[in-house]
């Protein structure tokens, strides 16, 4: 019943917004040429077109699409404002009529390869309004954009509203993950007064008044001009409703009915939808409220649809949605997300309870975890109408999605409710499995003691239930906790037993987890067998499609590679792991890997990049759970090396958390970071206290390298290499060390070396770089401040690259980060912000 975009024919170029007569778009010629030049160049690339609602993004796209040559296949899809967007809707719509690999790809993992194979011929793909995209759509688009260089003539054009995405919107993270990919950006600006004057000519309206009211927004402007001439509506909603109010009764009924549908409708279904009021449909189209798109009909702009929908009386809105819901079910519409959307709007609880959980499972399997949560949260208010078993299953699934979404405390709460409900039904396989998941939620929330208690209870029930698979699951869960909390020997025994049971039960998923945590335990004992187990766990989980286990494998492998100083493989693991978890929506796993990327940056001497990454991570999540120990101890270590006053309090607090949680990795990272602060600040009492606390764990590799211990430095790290040189007793090597430490900004360590040089009798000791104090807006790094100053002076990215001896791609990445940090949409806005902060004109400083 719903329409699609698909292949685009020239009639798609018809647009009302900023056209002057039929000749051209007003004040968009430059952007049209820019996009056509991108297509004409033949190089695969991605283009982002941004701007506020009604600014003319669709008008621009249609103009370009109409001019693309026949050598390119042009496909268009759009995202719509559903409660939870249907999975891959814009991608499916775009390729539906193409009949290629995407037409038959149904399994989540098959979609990635099928999508890439669609671009083996020159193709322009346009996806509009990606701020409404589901997670699975963002995942496959990220997958494609990262591989554009491998494809012949693949042009990807994405539009979105910058004002619709805040710092925590998934699209913001999506854009950040593509920072190292060259992407063209086009930001559409409002029309000028001259443009408004040209468009309003002959209307009898005052152009200046129109410009001041509409702000040069093309859609608002055309709605005002199309309305009654006696007054100027104060808002775009008023303008839309003024045009709407001039329709006759049949047309009003048609438009109201279509307003509750967030996307277009196929013409073959339109008679059923509007109840035969085709004359009213025709008048609404003639009035410019509706328009046809190939074989579909819908509103000419989402702003118009929403204005009319929101003006409907509540009961009228429910009845209109109920009509659409009835048609969808009668027609056998299998799009669960659309059924759920209209069931919620219609207040049809029976349909919601039937289809909501299905939609959630479908979304979760496709990696659209935000959408899965939205479906489940729509069902939960009516969960008391389900049986106890159904309610427990709903809450168990909800808890799992909450934990994926980094909402660990909420996951614990939902999981506990599921456990209590299943407990009412007696001991069962379901209860054991739910207890094991609850154990994981508690561990991730930082409550290790409660996690162990839940695991012990699961073990006891599993022994009585008797099923081999259940005993395997419980034993694997207990072995996992033993490995995570540092009891390596006992963990190995338990996990090997779980491995045998898993093989007997044919549970490859449990077998993969056994290898994962056997890897941790053996690494803790210094055995190379550990890394082999971890690699095997990833391979096994991938082969069975257990993607959460794959993600967990990458995070644990990264932790061990970091602790074992395998820097080259760590870099490869992080690259592959981050790509995998981002493309499949595993937020907490991505957080862990990002922390280790920051630690790798720190080891490579990229302290500013490490600090920026860590601060962004910490700011991006409210409920970090046990992962807070990893991120905060890592940030504290950077700050300690810089001599920042905040490091002491931060690390003291993290050390308390780590001791309470007793997660081995967190304990190790907090201990090494706090011990380094103690060493740098001449606190031998604190250093001894920390060493005493970890003395029983010295057989574990992570605790053999505490600051002040023999051989604690890592000669591959410029910072630690400098410390090694400083301790050599040679004054020339100490001076060389001082130069490195000053360059890194390692003030405490540099002060120690200067004292050492005095002891060695060196008369002329370099004073080091003087710290230039200036306001640092939004946590910009020093390098970003340098780029911002040059940007404010009017330099282009290639010119900035020449000034700072950087690659143009690196400057592109810095400029993108600066715009995000300053909440600026354009270079001009960023330059204005720099001037307001007193940064402009500092090039000679």
């Amino acid at each position: 019943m719903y329409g699609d975009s698909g292949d685009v024919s020239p009639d798609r170029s018809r647009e009302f917004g900023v056209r002057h007569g039929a000749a051209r778009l007003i004040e968009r010629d430059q952007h049209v040429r820019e996009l056509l030049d991108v297509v004409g160049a033949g190089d695969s690339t991605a283009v982002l077109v941004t701007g506020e609602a009604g600014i003319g993004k669709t008008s621009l796209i249609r103009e370009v699409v109409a001019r693309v040559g026949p050598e390119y296949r042009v496909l268009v899809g759009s995202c719509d404002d559903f409660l939870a967007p249907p999975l891959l809707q814009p991608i499916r719509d775009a390729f539906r009529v193409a009949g290629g690999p995407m037409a038959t790809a149904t399994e989540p993992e098959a979609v990635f390869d099928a999508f890439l194979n669609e671009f083996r011929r020159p193709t322009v793909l346009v996806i509009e309004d990606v701020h409404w995209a589901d997670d699975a759509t963002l995942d496959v688009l990220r997958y494609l954009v990262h591989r554009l260089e491998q494809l012949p003539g693949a042009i990807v054009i994405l539009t979105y509203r910058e004002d619709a995405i805040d710092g925590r919107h998934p699209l913001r993270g999506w854009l950040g993950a593509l920072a190292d990919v060259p992407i063209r950006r086009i930001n559409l600006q409002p029309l000028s007064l001259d443009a408004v004057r040209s468009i309003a000519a002959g209307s009898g309206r005052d152009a200046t008044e129109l410009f001041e009211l509409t702000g040069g927004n093309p859609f608002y402007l055309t709605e005002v001009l199309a309305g009654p001439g006696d007054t100027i509506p104060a808002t775009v909603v008023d303008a839309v409703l003024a045009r709407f109010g001039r329709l006759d009764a049949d047309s009003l009924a048609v438009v109201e009915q279509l307003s509750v549908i967030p996307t277009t409708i196929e013409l073959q279904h339109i008679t059923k939808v509007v109840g035969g009021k085709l004359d009213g449909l025709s008048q609404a189209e003639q009035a410019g409220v509706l328009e046809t798109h190939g074989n579909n009909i819908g509103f000419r702009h989402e702003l118009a649809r929403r204005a009319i929908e929101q003006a409907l009386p509540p009961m009228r809105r429910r009845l209109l949605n109920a009509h659409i819901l009835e048609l969808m079910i009668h027609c056998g519409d299998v799009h669960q997300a659309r059924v759920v959307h209209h069931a919620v709007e219609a207040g049809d609880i029976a349909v919601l309870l039937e289809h909501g959980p299905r939609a959630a499972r479908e979304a979760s399997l496709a990696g659209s975890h935000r959408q899965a949560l939205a479906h489940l949260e729509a069902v939960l208010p009516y969960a008391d109408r389900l049986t106890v078993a159904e309610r427990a299953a709903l809450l168990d699934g909800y808890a799992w999605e909450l934990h994926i979404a980094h909402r660990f405390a909420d996951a614990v709460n939902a999981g506990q409710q599921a456990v209590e409900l299943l407990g009412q039904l007696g001991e069962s396989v379901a209860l054991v499995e739910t207890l094991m998941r609850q154990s994981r939620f508690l561990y991730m929330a930082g409550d290790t003691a409660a996690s162990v208690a839940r695991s012990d209870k699961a073990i006891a029930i599993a022994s009585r239930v008797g099923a081999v698979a259940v005993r395997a699951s419980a034993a694997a869960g207990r072995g996992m906790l033993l490995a995570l909390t540092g009891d390596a020997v006992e963990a190995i025994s338990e996990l090997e037993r779980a491995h045998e049971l898993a093989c007997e039960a044919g549970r490859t998923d449990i077998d993969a987890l056994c290898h994962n945590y056997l890897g941790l335990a053996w690494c803790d004992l210094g055995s190379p067998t550990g890394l082999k187990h971890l690699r095997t766990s990833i391979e096994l989980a991938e082969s069975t499609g257990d993607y959460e286990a794959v993600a967990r494998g990458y995070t644990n492998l990264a932790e061990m590679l970091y602790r074992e100083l395998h820097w080259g493989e760590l870099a490869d693991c992080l690259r592959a792991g981050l790509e995998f978890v981002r493309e499949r929506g595993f937020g907490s796993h991505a957080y862990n890997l990002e922390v280790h990327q920051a630690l790798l940056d720190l080891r490579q001497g990229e302290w500013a990049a490490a600090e920026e990454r860590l601060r962004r991570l910490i700011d991006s999540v409210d409920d970090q759970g046990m992962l807070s120990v990893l991120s905060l101890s890592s940030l504290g270590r950077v700050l300690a090396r810089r001599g920042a006053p905040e490091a002491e309090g931060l690390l003291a607090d993290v050390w308390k958390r780590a001791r309470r949680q007793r997660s081995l990795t967190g304990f190790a990272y907090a201990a090494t970071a706090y011990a380094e602060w103690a060493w740098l600040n001449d606190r031998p009492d604190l250093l001894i206290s920390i060493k005493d606390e970890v003395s029983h764990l010295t057989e574990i590799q992570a605790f053999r390298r505490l600051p002040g211990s023999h051989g604690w430095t890592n000669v591959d790290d410029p910072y630690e290499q400098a410390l090694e040189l400083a301790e050599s007793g040679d004054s020339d090597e100490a001076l060389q060390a001082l130069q490195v430490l000053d360059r890194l900004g390692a003030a405490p360590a540099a002060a120690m070396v200067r004292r050492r040089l005095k002891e060695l009798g060196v008369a002329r000791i370099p004073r080091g770089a003087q710290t230039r104090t200036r306001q640092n807006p939004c946590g910009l790094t020093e390098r970003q401040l340098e780029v911002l100053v040059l940007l404010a002076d009017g330099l282009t990215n290639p010119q900035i690259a020449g000034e700072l001896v950087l690659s143009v791609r690196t400057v592109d990445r810095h400029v993108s980060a600066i715009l995000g940090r300053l909440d600026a949409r354009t270079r001009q806005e960023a330059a204005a912000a720099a001037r307001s902060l007193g940064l402009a004109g500092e090039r000679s400083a």
Side-chain angles (χ1 to χ4, degrees), residues 519-536:
L520 294 191
W522 281 115
C523 281
D524 287 344
L525 297 179
S527 171
T529 304
L531 293 178
K532 292 179 183 177
H533 275 293
L534 284 162
R535 298 183 191 108
T536 299

Side-chain angles (χ1 to χ4, degrees), residues 273-353:
V273 172
V274 302
K277 296 183 175 68
L278 297 182
D279 288 342
L281 189 72
S282 177
Q283 186 191 348
E285 184 182 20
Q286 291 172 5
V289 177
L290 303 176
E291 64 176 350
T292 56
H293 306 269
N295 294 320
N296 308 315
I297 191 165
F299 287 84
R300 73 180 185 88
H301 200 287
E302 176 65 9
L303 283 174
R305 184 196 72 80
R306 295 182 75 178
I308 294 168
E309 180 191 32
Q310 291 168 8
L312 292 170
M315 185 53 67
R316 172 72 171 155
R317 185 170 174 174
R318 287 183 69 162
L319 291 172
L320 293 173
N321 274 284
H323 174 59
I324 298 300
L325 183 62
E326 181 182 4
L327 287 176
M328 293 178 73
I329 293 173
H330 178 74
C331 295
D333 194 322
V334 295
H335 291 89
Q336 300 289 345
R338 293 169 177 169
V339 171
V340 170
H341 174 88
H342 289 293
V344 170
E345 292 296 318
D348 193 323
I349 298 170
V351 172
L352 178 60
L353 290 173

Side-chain angles (χ1 to χ4, degrees), residues 315-569:
M315 185 53 67
R316 172 72 171 155
R317 185 170 174 174
R318 287 183 69 162
L319 291 172
L320 293 173
N321 274 284
H323 174 59
I324 298 300
L325 183 62
E326 181 182 4
L327 287 176
M328 293 178 73
I329 293 173
H330 178 74
C331 295
D333 194 322
V334 295
H335 291 89
Q336 300 289 345
R338 293 169 177 169
V339 171
V340 170
H341 174 88
H342 289 293
V344 170
E345 292 296 318
D348 193 323
I349 298 170
V351 172
L352 178 60
L353 290 173
E354 178 184 354
H355 291 269
R358 294 182 193 172
R361 285 193 295 273
E362 185 181 275
S364 183
L365 287 172
S368 289
H369 297 289
R370 278 188 304 128
Q371 286 67 50
L373 270 176
H375 292 310
L376 291 168
E377 287 172 345
V379 175
L380 279 169
Y382 313 103
D384 59 346
R385 306 189 185 197
L386 300 171
T387 66
V388 171
E390 289 171 336
R391 200 153 75 244
L394 180 72
L395 286 162
D396 188 31
Y398 181 50
W400 182 259
E401 293 301 330
L402 288 167
H403 127 273
I404 293 292
H406 240 301
R407 292 168 58 185
F408 301 126
D410 291 338
V412 168
N413 182 52
Q416 179 59 30
Q417 293 179 61
V419 167
E420 291 172 359
L421 287 169
L422 287 171
Q424 296 174 22
L425 300 176
E427 295 182 347
S428 64
V429 170
L431 178 57
V432 173
E433 297 283 3
T434 301
L435 281 167
M436 293 312 304
R437 281 189 284 275
Q438 178 71 344
S439 174
R440 175 163 177 78
F441 305 152
L442 286 161
Y443 175 79
M444 295 303 296
D447 192 345
T448 306
S451 174
V452 171
R454 279 287 180 253
S455 175
D456 289 344
K457 185 174 181 179
I459 286 281
I461 296 174
S463 67
R464 293 191 290 269
V465 170
V468 174
V470 178
R471 287 187 285 128
S473 177
R478 182 171 185 273
M480 174 190 75
L481 279 175
L482 289 167
L484 290 169
T485 54
D487 194 344
V489 175
E490 185 65 22
I492 290 169
S493 174
E494 190 75 10
L495 289 164
E496 286 179 345
R497 185 171 72 88
H499 167 69
E500 293 174 2
L501 291 170
C503 291
E504 182 182 344
R507 289 288 299 270
T508 53
D509 56 334
I510 298 175
D511 188 24
L513 285 177
C514 287
H515 279 287
N516 192 328
Y517 292 99
L518 278 168
L520 294 191
W522 281 115
C523 281
D524 287 344
L525 297 179
S527 171
T529 304
L531 293 178
K532 292 179 183 177
H533 275 293
L534 284 162
R535 298 183 191 108
T536 299
S537 77
I538 295 173
E539 293 169 4
L540 280 174
E542 282 183 325
S543 69
T544 59
D546 188 353
Y547 299 127
E548 194 279 331
V550 176
R552 213 185 298 189
Y554 274 121
T555 59
N556 288 344
L557 178 59
E559 289 176 4
M560 295 305 104
L561 291 170
Y562 175 75
R563 279 161 47 174
E564 298 291 331
L565 316 183
H566 290 223
W567 307 123
E569 187 179 353

Side-chain angles (χ1 to χ4, degrees), residues 53 113 220 302 437 754 833:
D113 290 337
Y220 190 2
E302 176 65 9
R437 281 189 284 275
R754 286 188 169 86

Side-chain angles (χ1 to χ4, degrees), residues 664-694:
L664 183 61
T665 297
F667 197 55
Y669 290 15
T672 51
Y674 200 23
E676 184 169 348
W677 180 88
W679 180 72
L680 288 170
N681 289 275
D682 195 24
R683 286 285 307 277
D685 56 324
L686 180 57
L687 185 57
I688 292 170
S689 172
I690 295 169
K691 287 184 176 181
D692 286 345
E693 187 116 11
V694 302

